[in-house]
Amino acid sequence: MKAIILAAGEGLRCRPLTLTRSKVMLPVANRPILEHVISSLEINGINEIILVVGYEKERIMNYFEDGLNFGVNIKYVEQKAQLGTAHAIEQAKKLISPEDSEFLVLNGDNLVEPKTIADLLNNYEGDASLLTVRMEDTAGYGVVLKEKKRVIQILEKRPGDLSHIVNTGIYIFTPQVFETIEKTPISENGEYAITDTLQLMIDEGKVVTPISTESKWLDAVHAWDLLKANSIVLNSSRNLKQEGELEEGVIIRGKVAIGKNTRIRAGTYIVGPVVIGENCDIGPNVVILPSTTIGDNVSIRSFTEIQNSIIMNDCRISSHGQISNCIIGSNNTLGPGFTAEEKENLEININCRIHKAPKLGTIIGDDNRIGSRVLVKAGVMIAVNCQVESGNTIYRDLPRDSVVL
């Protein structure tokens, strides 16, 4: 069976991290979300993959290439305009042959474990099948109404309490779905949605089957959701290797992975689960606490404490820093005494809508230079290519190319 992975979107709600990469390339446990998806497919024996790319497609294609290093064969098609999920699937039509009795469709920005996909592969039936999970809070998700073993209606967004059965966006179709996609009407937001295609199939009397799963399915809607996903994946990780160099006096507790050519200097204290990449230089006397990932080529100087955070590649973090519940993008320089305030139940305004973050410090995009003794208030975000001079307190979000003197 072939799999179509939808990876063309930008992920506007994950800015500023998606100003320089698509959402599918955001790291969880030091691997892009999309790599976790491809790994779960490969474990299930699905190695013919069609990637639908668009926004920042070069980063995806340069990383995965033909898929050989990941045990799969990847072919690419481009969705040149963001016209919805049905339109994205249609771009792959030429790579689905009549001999393909069924094919799998899933999103590249949702974390799924191998068993999640297996639950669908082992139980699908009818003209189409969709995978569902049960959730108490369904705000922002599409839900499914069903009778016995058939879907009767799919409700997008704001469903209230009509149903707690959430559509995961993972489907198995037959090639005949392309005929229905061609008849799919455009939605109110100007897109062609695959859920409208499914509803059209239902209205035409075709059998659409809901398959439930209790296995892992995580949708990182907002950037701060990556912290929860990161923690869950780290806690379930096994066979973590320590390949770097540990100086005398380093203390490690719990599950900790350390990459090649990484040096952990004396007096550093690490409590897992923690993953540290390759070519890093950490310490002396650094504290790294649970649910933290540190990318490749990162340096962290003395008396800095980091917990429940994601530090991406090529960062330089100076001494006496305090980083908790934060996401730091690639190629950032943080001066001595950098502190990110953190709070619980923050209300954050995104596109004139209020969203709640359960616990958050700061989120910083790529390529920023931050001086010494800088305090960033809880929930404040710094975009990309910003410069903050020493001694400042950042009270509000900084847009791209900001300079704070």
Side-chain angles (χ1 to χ4, degrees), residues 86 127-130 144 151-154 167 169-173 177 180-181 184 193-204 206-209:
D127 298 292
S129 294
L130 60 87
V144 172
V151 177
I152 58 170
Q153 193 175 4
I154 301 172
N167 174 21
I170 305 175
Y171 311 101
I172 287 181
F173 293 114
V177 72
T180 313
I181 286 175
T184 300
I194 196 63
T195 48
D196 290 336
T197 304
L198 285 161
Q199 191 61 54
L200 197 54
M201 293 176 69
I202 294 165
D203 296 342
E204 290 175 348
K206 294 188 171 112
V207 177
V208 177
T209 308

PDB file of all heavy atoms in Angstrom, residues 86 127-130 144 151-154 167 169-173 177 180-181 184 193-204 206-209:
ATOM      1  N   ALA A  86      -8.269  18.210   0.031  1.00  0.00           N
ATOM      2  CA  ALA A  86      -8.706  17.447  -1.144  1.00  0.00           C
ATOM      3  C   ALA A  86      -7.864  17.823  -2.361  1.00  0.00           C
ATOM      4  O   ALA A  86      -7.451  16.958  -3.144  1.00  0.00           O
ATOM      5  CB  ALA A  86     -10.189  17.698  -1.415  1.00  0.00           C
ATOM      6  N   ASP A 127     -15.936   1.889   1.243  1.00  0.00           N
ATOM      7  CA  ASP A 127     -15.383   2.734   0.181  1.00  0.00           C
ATOM      8  C   ASP A 127     -14.290   3.658   0.700  1.00  0.00           C
ATOM      9  O   ASP A 127     -13.419   4.101  -0.051  1.00  0.00           O
ATOM     10  CB  ASP A 127     -16.509   3.565  -0.456  1.00  0.00           C
ATOM     11  CG  ASP A 127     -17.565   2.681  -1.095  1.00  0.00           C
ATOM     12  OD1 ASP A 127     -17.258   2.026  -2.109  1.00  0.00           O
ATOM     13  OD2 ASP A 127     -18.701   2.631  -0.578  1.00  0.00           O
ATOM     14  N   ALA A 128     -14.355   3.973   1.979  1.00  0.00           N
ATOM     15  CA  ALA A 128     -13.314   4.787   2.626  1.00  0.00           C
ATOM     16  C   ALA A 128     -13.368   4.521   4.121  1.00  0.00           C
ATOM     17  O   ALA A 128     -14.430   4.188   4.662  1.00  0.00           O
ATOM     18  CB  ALA A 128     -13.524   6.270   2.348  1.00  0.00           C
ATOM     19  N   SER A 129     -12.238   4.647   4.783  1.00  0.00           N
ATOM     20  CA  SER A 129     -12.190   4.509   6.237  1.00  0.00           C
ATOM     21  C   SER A 129     -11.424   5.686   6.813  1.00  0.00           C
ATOM     22  O   SER A 129     -10.463   6.171   6.202  1.00  0.00           O
ATOM     23  CB  SER A 129     -11.507   3.203   6.650  1.00  0.00           C
ATOM     24  OG  SER A 129     -12.266   2.082   6.249  1.00  0.00           O
ATOM     25  N   LEU A 130     -11.866   6.134   7.971  1.00  0.00           N
ATOM     26  CA  LEU A 130     -11.128   7.208   8.648  1.00  0.00           C
ATOM     27  C   LEU A 130     -10.866   6.811  10.093  1.00  0.00           C
ATOM     28  O   LEU A 130     -11.674   6.127  10.723  1.00  0.00           O
ATOM     29  CB  LEU A 130     -11.872   8.538   8.555  1.00  0.00           C
ATOM     30  CG  LEU A 130     -13.280   8.686   9.134  1.00  0.00           C
ATOM     31  CD1 LEU A 130     -13.214   9.052  10.603  1.00  0.00           C
ATOM     32  CD2 LEU A 130     -14.033   9.773   8.373  1.00  0.00           C
ATOM     33  N   VAL A 144     -16.920  13.382  14.277  1.00  0.00           N
ATOM     34  CA  VAL A 144     -17.631  12.417  13.454  1.00  0.00           C
ATOM     35  C   VAL A 144     -18.920  12.002  14.159  1.00  0.00           C
ATOM     36  O   VAL A 144     -18.916  11.696  15.354  1.00  0.00           O
ATOM     37  CB  VAL A 144     -16.734  11.182  13.211  1.00  0.00           C
ATOM     38  CG1 VAL A 144     -17.512  10.067  12.531  1.00  0.00           C
ATOM     39  CG2 VAL A 144     -15.514  11.564  12.400  1.00  0.00           C
ATOM     40  N   VAL A 151     -20.111   6.215   9.101  1.00  0.00           N
ATOM     41  CA  VAL A 151     -20.109   7.652   9.366  1.00  0.00           C
ATOM     42  C   VAL A 151     -21.322   8.251   8.664  1.00  0.00           C
ATOM     43  O   VAL A 151     -21.580   7.966   7.494  1.00  0.00           O
ATOM     44  CB  VAL A 151     -18.819   8.315   8.837  1.00  0.00           C
ATOM     45  CG1 VAL A 151     -18.865   9.828   9.052  1.00  0.00           C
ATOM     46  CG2 VAL A 151     -17.599   7.717   9.514  1.00  0.00           C
ATOM     47  N   ILE A 152     -22.083   9.066   9.383  1.00  0.00           N
ATOM     48  CA  ILE A 152     -23.228   9.729   8.748  1.00  0.00           C
ATOM     49  C   ILE A 152     -22.989  11.221   8.533  1.00  0.00           C
ATOM     50  O   ILE A 152     -23.610  11.846   7.677  1.00  0.00           O
ATOM     51  CB  ILE A 152     -24.526   9.518   9.558  1.00  0.00           C
ATOM     52  CG1 ILE A 152     -24.376  10.042  10.988  1.00  0.00           C
ATOM     53  CG2 ILE A 152     -24.933   8.055   9.547  1.00  0.00           C
ATOM     54  CD1 ILE A 152     -25.689  10.076  11.758  1.00  0.00           C
ATOM     55  N   GLN A 153     -22.069  11.812   9.309  1.00  0.00           N
ATOM     56  CA  GLN A 153     -21.777  13.235   9.118  1.00  0.00           C
ATOM     57  C   GLN A 153     -20.432  13.584   9.737  1.00  0.00           C
ATOM     58  O   GLN A 153     -20.042  13.014  10.762  1.00  0.00           O
ATOM     59  CB  GLN A 153     -22.884  14.106   9.743  1.00  0.00           C
ATOM     60  CG  GLN A 153     -22.814  15.559   9.319  1.00  0.00           C
ATOM     61  CD  GLN A 153     -24.004  16.370   9.848  1.00  0.00           C
ATOM     62  OE1 GLN A 153     -24.842  15.859  10.593  1.00  0.00           O
ATOM     63  NE2 GLN A 153     -24.070  17.628   9.460  1.00  0.00           N
ATOM     64  N   ILE A 154     -19.723  14.509   9.098  1.00  0.00           N
ATOM     65  CA  ILE A 154     -18.481  15.050   9.637  1.00  0.00           C
ATOM     66  C   ILE A 154     -18.676  16.534   9.859  1.00  0.00           C
ATOM     67  O   ILE A 154     -19.040  17.273   8.938  1.00  0.00           O
ATOM     68  CB  ILE A 154     -17.304  14.810   8.680  1.00  0.00           C
ATOM     69  CG1 ILE A 154     -17.123  13.306   8.428  1.00  0.00           C
ATOM     70  CG2 ILE A 154     -16.013  15.389   9.248  1.00  0.00           C
ATOM     71  CD1 ILE A 154     -16.110  12.983   7.357  1.00  0.00           C
ATOM     72  N   ASN A 167     -11.959  13.328  14.271  1.00  0.00           N
ATOM     73  CA  ASN A 167     -11.339  12.867  13.034  1.00  0.00           C
ATOM     74  C   ASN A 167      -9.844  13.190  13.067  1.00  0.00           C
ATOM     75  O   ASN A 167      -9.453  14.346  13.192  1.00  0.00           O
ATOM     76  CB  ASN A 167     -12.018  13.561  11.839  1.00  0.00           C
ATOM     77  CG  ASN A 167     -11.349  13.244  10.518  1.00  0.00           C
ATOM     78  OD1 ASN A 167     -10.648  12.250  10.392  1.00  0.00           O
ATOM     79  ND2 ASN A 167     -11.562  14.097   9.528  1.00  0.00           N
ATOM     80  N   GLY A 169      -7.706  12.765  10.612  1.00  0.00           N
ATOM     81  CA  GLY A 169      -7.138  13.115   9.308  1.00  0.00           C
ATOM     82  C   GLY A 169      -6.311  12.000   8.702  1.00  0.00           C
ATOM     83  O   GLY A 169      -5.513  12.240   7.792  1.00  0.00           O
ATOM     84  N   ILE A 170      -6.476  10.773   9.197  1.00  0.00           N
ATOM     85  CA  ILE A 170      -5.793   9.603   8.639  1.00  0.00           C
ATOM     86  C   ILE A 170      -6.855   8.740   7.956  1.00  0.00           C
ATOM     87  O   ILE A 170      -7.839   8.344   8.584  1.00  0.00           O
ATOM     88  CB  ILE A 170      -5.063   8.800   9.729  1.00  0.00           C
ATOM     89  CG1 ILE A 170      -4.107   9.708  10.507  1.00  0.00           C
ATOM     90  CG2 ILE A 170      -4.305   7.627   9.127  1.00  0.00           C
ATOM     91  CD1 ILE A 170      -3.429   9.039  11.683  1.00  0.00           C
ATOM     92  N   TYR A 171      -6.663   8.469   6.664  1.00  0.00           N
ATOM     93  CA  TYR A 171      -7.697   7.820   5.861  1.00  0.00           C
ATOM     94  C   TYR A 171      -7.108   6.692   5.022  1.00  0.00           C
ATOM     95  O   TYR A 171      -5.919   6.692   4.699  1.00  0.00           O
ATOM     96  CB  TYR A 171      -8.340   8.822   4.883  1.00  0.00           C
ATOM     97  CG  TYR A 171      -8.767  10.128   5.495  1.00  0.00           C
ATOM     98  CD1 TYR A 171      -7.982  11.274   5.341  1.00  0.00           C
ATOM     99  CD2 TYR A 171      -9.963  10.239   6.197  1.00  0.00           C
ATOM    100  CE1 TYR A 171      -8.375  12.488   5.880  1.00  0.00           C
ATOM    101  CE2 TYR A 171     -10.369  11.457   6.742  1.00  0.00           C
ATOM    102  CZ  TYR A 171      -9.567  12.576   6.584  1.00  0.00           C
ATOM    103  OH  TYR A 171      -9.949  13.780   7.115  1.00  0.00           O
ATOM    104  N   ILE A 172      -7.988   5.760   4.644  1.00  0.00           N
ATOM    105  CA  ILE A 172      -7.694   4.821   3.567  1.00  0.00           C
ATOM    106  C   ILE A 172      -8.769   4.991   2.505  1.00  0.00           C
ATOM    107  O   ILE A 172      -9.976   4.934   2.799  1.00  0.00           O
ATOM    108  CB  ILE A 172      -7.626   3.368   4.059  1.00  0.00           C
ATOM    109  CG1 ILE A 172      -6.344   3.148   4.871  1.00  0.00           C
ATOM    110  CG2 ILE A 172      -7.664   2.397   2.881  1.00  0.00           C
ATOM    111  CD1 ILE A 172      -6.148   1.735   5.390  1.00  0.00           C
ATOM    112  N   PHE A 173      -8.335   5.259   1.269  1.00  0.00           N
ATOM    113  CA  PHE A 173      -9.229   5.460   0.136  1.00  0.00           C
ATOM    114  C   PHE A 173      -8.933   4.437  -0.952  1.00  0.00           C
ATOM    115  O   PHE A 173      -7.838   3.864  -1.012  1.00  0.00           O
ATOM    116  CB  PHE A 173      -9.035   6.860  -0.477  1.00  0.00           C
ATOM    117  CG  PHE A 173      -9.453   7.996   0.407  1.00  0.00           C
ATOM    118  CD1 PHE A 173      -8.516   8.890   0.902  1.00  0.00           C
ATOM    119  CD2 PHE A 173     -10.793   8.193   0.732  1.00  0.00           C
ATOM    120  CE1 PHE A 173      -8.892   9.953   1.702  1.00  0.00           C
ATOM    121  CE2 PHE A 173     -11.176   9.253   1.528  1.00  0.00           C
ATOM    122  CZ  PHE A 173     -10.235  10.138   2.017  1.00  0.00           C
ATOM    123  N   VAL A 177     -11.818   7.664  -5.198  1.00  0.00           N
ATOM    124  CA  VAL A 177     -12.036   8.910  -4.465  1.00  0.00           C
ATOM    125  C   VAL A 177     -11.710  10.126  -5.343  1.00  0.00           C
ATOM    126  O   VAL A 177     -12.281  11.207  -5.160  1.00  0.00           O
ATOM    127  CB  VAL A 177     -11.200   8.941  -3.161  1.00  0.00           C
ATOM    128  CG1 VAL A 177      -9.708   9.131  -3.469  1.00  0.00           C
ATOM    129  CG2 VAL A 177     -11.677  10.044  -2.235  1.00  0.00           C
ATOM    130  N   THR A 180     -14.698  11.652  -6.856  1.00  0.00           N
ATOM    131  CA  THR A 180     -15.495  12.465  -5.931  1.00  0.00           C
ATOM    132  C   THR A 180     -14.788  13.780  -5.622  1.00  0.00           C
ATOM    133  O   THR A 180     -15.447  14.814  -5.452  1.00  0.00           O
ATOM    134  CB  THR A 180     -15.749  11.685  -4.624  1.00  0.00           C
ATOM    135  OG1 THR A 180     -16.181  10.356  -4.933  1.00  0.00           O
ATOM    136  CG2 THR A 180     -16.838  12.369  -3.793  1.00  0.00           C
ATOM    137  N   ILE A 181     -13.461  13.756  -5.561  1.00  0.00           N
ATOM    138  CA  ILE A 181     -12.719  15.003  -5.327  1.00  0.00           C
ATOM    139  C   ILE A 181     -13.034  16.024  -6.419  1.00  0.00           C
ATOM    140  O   ILE A 181     -13.187  17.222  -6.151  1.00  0.00           O
ATOM    141  CB  ILE A 181     -11.204  14.721  -5.241  1.00  0.00           C
ATOM    142  CG1 ILE A 181     -10.863  14.047  -3.904  1.00  0.00           C
ATOM    143  CG2 ILE A 181     -10.388  16.009  -5.388  1.00  0.00           C
ATOM    144  CD1 ILE A 181      -9.412  13.619  -3.750  1.00  0.00           C
ATOM    145  N   THR A 184     -16.092  17.858  -5.565  1.00  0.00           N
ATOM    146  CA  THR A 184     -16.146  18.475  -4.237  1.00  0.00           C
ATOM    147  C   THR A 184     -16.324  19.990  -4.358  1.00  0.00           C
ATOM    148  O   THR A 184     -15.554  20.653  -5.064  1.00  0.00           O
ATOM    149  CB  THR A 184     -14.860  18.169  -3.446  1.00  0.00           C
ATOM    150  OG1 THR A 184     -14.729  16.751  -3.302  1.00  0.00           O
ATOM    151  CG2 THR A 184     -14.901  18.817  -2.064  1.00  0.00           C
ATOM    152  N   ALA A 193     -11.851  20.792   0.847  1.00  0.00           N
ATOM    153  CA  ALA A 193     -11.520  19.978   2.024  1.00  0.00           C
ATOM    154  C   ALA A 193     -11.871  18.523   1.774  1.00  0.00           C
ATOM    155  O   ALA A 193     -12.940  18.212   1.223  1.00  0.00           O
ATOM    156  CB  ALA A 193     -12.271  20.492   3.246  1.00  0.00           C
ATOM    157  N   ILE A 194     -10.991  17.619   2.213  1.00  0.00           N
ATOM    158  CA  ILE A 194     -11.260  16.198   2.042  1.00  0.00           C
ATOM    159  C   ILE A 194     -12.455  15.750   2.893  1.00  0.00           C
ATOM    160  O   ILE A 194     -13.146  14.787   2.551  1.00  0.00           O
ATOM    161  CB  ILE A 194      -9.995  15.352   2.354  1.00  0.00           C
ATOM    162  CG1 ILE A 194     -10.150  13.925   1.812  1.00  0.00           C
ATOM    163  CG2 ILE A 194      -9.703  15.347   3.851  1.00  0.00           C
ATOM    164  CD1 ILE A 194     -10.273  13.834   0.309  1.00  0.00           C
ATOM    165  N   THR A 195     -12.735  16.473   3.969  1.00  0.00           N
ATOM    166  CA  THR A 195     -13.925  16.140   4.762  1.00  0.00           C
ATOM    167  C   THR A 195     -15.201  16.423   3.965  1.00  0.00           C
ATOM    168  O   THR A 195     -16.199  15.712   4.111  1.00  0.00           O
ATOM    169  CB  THR A 195     -13.943  16.933   6.077  1.00  0.00           C
ATOM    170  OG1 THR A 195     -13.669  18.313   5.803  1.00  0.00           O
ATOM    171  CG2 THR A 195     -12.897  16.402   7.042  1.00  0.00           C
ATOM    172  N   ASP A 196     -15.176  17.448   3.094  1.00  0.00           N
ATOM    173  CA  ASP A 196     -16.330  17.700   2.211  1.00  0.00           C
ATOM    174  C   ASP A 196     -16.453  16.594   1.165  1.00  0.00           C
ATOM    175  O   ASP A 196     -17.570  16.209   0.784  1.00  0.00           O
ATOM    176  CB  ASP A 196     -16.193  19.060   1.522  1.00  0.00           C
ATOM    177  CG  ASP A 196     -16.353  20.222   2.493  1.00  0.00           C
ATOM    178  OD1 ASP A 196     -16.991  20.027   3.547  1.00  0.00           O
ATOM    179  OD2 ASP A 196     -15.836  21.323   2.206  1.00  0.00           O
ATOM    180  N   THR A 197     -15.305  16.091   0.719  1.00  0.00           N
ATOM    181  CA  THR A 197     -15.316  14.952  -0.207  1.00  0.00           C
ATOM    182  C   THR A 197     -15.949  13.737   0.459  1.00  0.00           C
ATOM    183  O   THR A 197     -16.797  13.041  -0.135  1.00  0.00           O
ATOM    184  CB  THR A 197     -13.882  14.608  -0.655  1.00  0.00           C
ATOM    185  OG1 THR A 197     -13.271  15.758  -1.232  1.00  0.00           O
ATOM    186  CG2 THR A 197     -13.877  13.467  -1.658  1.00  0.00           C
ATOM    187  N   LEU A 198     -15.559  13.472   1.699  1.00  0.00           N
ATOM    188  CA  LEU A 198     -16.129  12.340   2.432  1.00  0.00           C
ATOM    189  C   LEU A 198     -17.625  12.514   2.643  1.00  0.00           C
ATOM    190  O   LEU A 198     -18.402  11.550   2.517  1.00  0.00           O
ATOM    191  CB  LEU A 198     -15.415  12.194   3.782  1.00  0.00           C
ATOM    192  CG  LEU A 198     -14.010  11.588   3.718  1.00  0.00           C
ATOM    193  CD1 LEU A 198     -13.226  11.916   4.981  1.00  0.00           C
ATOM    194  CD2 LEU A 198     -14.080  10.075   3.526  1.00  0.00           C
ATOM    195  N   GLN A 199     -18.047  13.743   2.972  1.00  0.00           N
ATOM    196  CA  GLN A 199     -19.475  13.984   3.171  1.00  0.00           C
ATOM    197  C   GLN A 199     -20.249  13.760   1.873  1.00  0.00           C
ATOM    198  O   GLN A 199     -21.369  13.225   1.882  1.00  0.00           O
ATOM    199  CB  GLN A 199     -19.699  15.416   3.677  1.00  0.00           C
ATOM    200  CG  GLN A 199     -21.115  15.677   4.167  1.00  0.00           C
ATOM    201  CD  GLN A 199     -21.502  14.796   5.344  1.00  0.00           C
ATOM    202  OE1 GLN A 199     -20.811  14.755   6.354  1.00  0.00           O
ATOM    203  NE2 GLN A 199     -22.615  14.072   5.197  1.00  0.00           N
ATOM    204  N   LEU A 200     -19.635  14.136   0.749  1.00  0.00           N
ATOM    205  CA  LEU A 200     -20.257  13.895  -0.552  1.00  0.00           C
ATOM    206  C   LEU A 200     -20.385  12.397  -0.814  1.00  0.00           C
ATOM    207  O   LEU A 200     -21.412  11.927  -1.324  1.00  0.00           O
ATOM    208  CB  LEU A 200     -19.407  14.561  -1.641  1.00  0.00           C
ATOM    209  CG  LEU A 200     -20.026  14.789  -3.015  1.00  0.00           C
ATOM    210  CD1 LEU A 200     -21.326  15.563  -2.923  1.00  0.00           C
ATOM    211  CD2 LEU A 200     -19.035  15.520  -3.915  1.00  0.00           C
ATOM    212  N   MET A 201     -19.367  11.631  -0.449  1.00  0.00           N
ATOM    213  CA  MET A 201     -19.431  10.174  -0.593  1.00  0.00           C
ATOM    214  C   MET A 201     -20.579   9.594   0.240  1.00  0.00           C
ATOM    215  O   MET A 201     -21.325   8.727  -0.215  1.00  0.00           O
ATOM    216  CB  MET A 201     -18.101   9.544  -0.163  1.00  0.00           C
ATOM    217  CG  MET A 201     -16.935   9.867  -1.072  1.00  0.00           C
ATOM    218  SD  MET A 201     -15.344   9.204  -0.454  1.00  0.00           S
ATOM    219  CE  MET A 201     -15.598   7.450  -0.680  1.00  0.00           C
ATOM    220  N   ILE A 202     -20.698  10.107   1.476  1.00  0.00           N
ATOM    221  CA  ILE A 202     -21.765   9.634   2.360  1.00  0.00           C
ATOM    222  C   ILE A 202     -23.133   9.949   1.761  1.00  0.00           C
ATOM    223  O   ILE A 202     -24.036   9.100   1.730  1.00  0.00           O
ATOM    224  CB  ILE A 202     -21.620  10.272   3.764  1.00  0.00           C
ATOM    225  CG1 ILE A 202     -20.339   9.766   4.436  1.00  0.00           C
ATOM    226  CG2 ILE A 202     -22.838   9.979   4.626  1.00  0.00           C
ATOM    227  CD1 ILE A 202     -19.914  10.587   5.637  1.00  0.00           C
ATOM    228  N   ASP A 203     -23.270  11.178   1.255  1.00  0.00           N
ATOM    229  CA  ASP A 203     -24.549  11.600   0.666  1.00  0.00           C
ATOM    230  C   ASP A 203     -24.901  10.791  -0.577  1.00  0.00           C
ATOM    231  O   ASP A 203     -26.081  10.634  -0.920  1.00  0.00           O
ATOM    232  CB  ASP A 203     -24.499  13.097   0.319  1.00  0.00           C
ATOM    233  CG  ASP A 203     -24.349  13.980   1.552  1.00  0.00           C
ATOM    234  OD1 ASP A 203     -24.623  13.478   2.668  1.00  0.00           O
ATOM    235  OD2 ASP A 203     -23.949  15.143   1.409  1.00  0.00           O
ATOM    236  N   GLU A 204     -23.879  10.277  -1.256  1.00  0.00           N
ATOM    237  CA  GLU A 204     -24.106   9.455  -2.450  1.00  0.00           C
ATOM    238  C   GLU A 204     -24.367   7.993  -2.109  1.00  0.00           C
ATOM    239  O   GLU A 204     -24.548   7.162  -2.996  1.00  0.00           O
ATOM    240  CB  GLU A 204     -22.888   9.553  -3.381  1.00  0.00           C
ATOM    241  CG  GLU A 204     -22.732  10.918  -4.047  1.00  0.00           C
ATOM    242  CD  GLU A 204     -21.453  11.005  -4.870  1.00  0.00           C
ATOM    243  OE1 GLU A 204     -20.593  10.097  -4.724  1.00  0.00           O
ATOM    244  OE2 GLU A 204     -21.301  11.967  -5.641  1.00  0.00           O
ATOM    245  N   LYS A 206     -22.267   5.964  -0.405  1.00  0.00           N
ATOM    246  CA  LYS A 206     -21.070   5.144  -0.249  1.00  0.00           C
ATOM    247  C   LYS A 206     -20.800   4.903   1.232  1.00  0.00           C
ATOM    248  O   LYS A 206     -21.208   5.682   2.095  1.00  0.00           O
ATOM    249  CB  LYS A 206     -19.871   5.822  -0.912  1.00  0.00           C
ATOM    250  CG  LYS A 206     -20.015   5.925  -2.429  1.00  0.00           C
ATOM    251  CD  LYS A 206     -18.744   6.426  -3.061  1.00  0.00           C
ATOM    252  CE  LYS A 206     -18.843   6.304  -4.586  1.00  0.00           C
ATOM    253  NZ  LYS A 206     -18.894   7.562  -5.262  1.00  0.00           N
ATOM    254  N   VAL A 207     -20.081   3.805   1.524  1.00  0.00           N
ATOM    255  CA  VAL A 207     -19.832   3.401   2.910  1.00  0.00           C
ATOM    256  C   VAL A 207     -18.512   4.009   3.381  1.00  0.00           C
ATOM    257  O   VAL A 207     -17.438   3.688   2.852  1.00  0.00           O
ATOM    258  CB  VAL A 207     -19.788   1.864   3.038  1.00  0.00           C
ATOM    259  CG1 VAL A 207     -19.442   1.468   4.473  1.00  0.00           C
ATOM    260  CG2 VAL A 207     -21.113   1.254   2.615  1.00  0.00           C
ATOM    261  N   VAL A 208     -18.602   4.896   4.383  1.00  0.00           N
ATOM    262  CA  VAL A 208     -17.423   5.469   5.022  1.00  0.00           C
ATOM    263  C   VAL A 208     -17.385   4.938   6.451  1.00  0.00           C
ATOM    264  O   VAL A 208     -18.323   5.162   7.230  1.00  0.00           O
ATOM    265  CB  VAL A 208     -17.461   7.008   5.007  1.00  0.00           C
ATOM    266  CG1 VAL A 208     -16.254   7.574   5.749  1.00  0.00           C
ATOM    267  CG2 VAL A 208     -17.494   7.528   3.569  1.00  0.00           C
ATOM    268  N   THR A 209     -16.316   4.237   6.779  1.00  0.00           N
ATOM    269  CA  THR A 209     -16.237   3.511   8.049  1.00  0.00           C
ATOM    270  C   THR A 209     -15.341   4.243   9.039  1.00  0.00           C
ATOM    271  O   THR A 209     -14.212   4.608   8.695  1.00  0.00           O
ATOM    272  CB  THR A 209     -15.659   2.104   7.808  1.00  0.00           C
ATOM    273  OG1 THR A 209     -16.394   1.463   6.766  1.00  0.00           O
ATOM    274  CG2 THR A 209     -15.734   1.263   9.079  1.00  0.00           C
TER     275      THR A 209
END
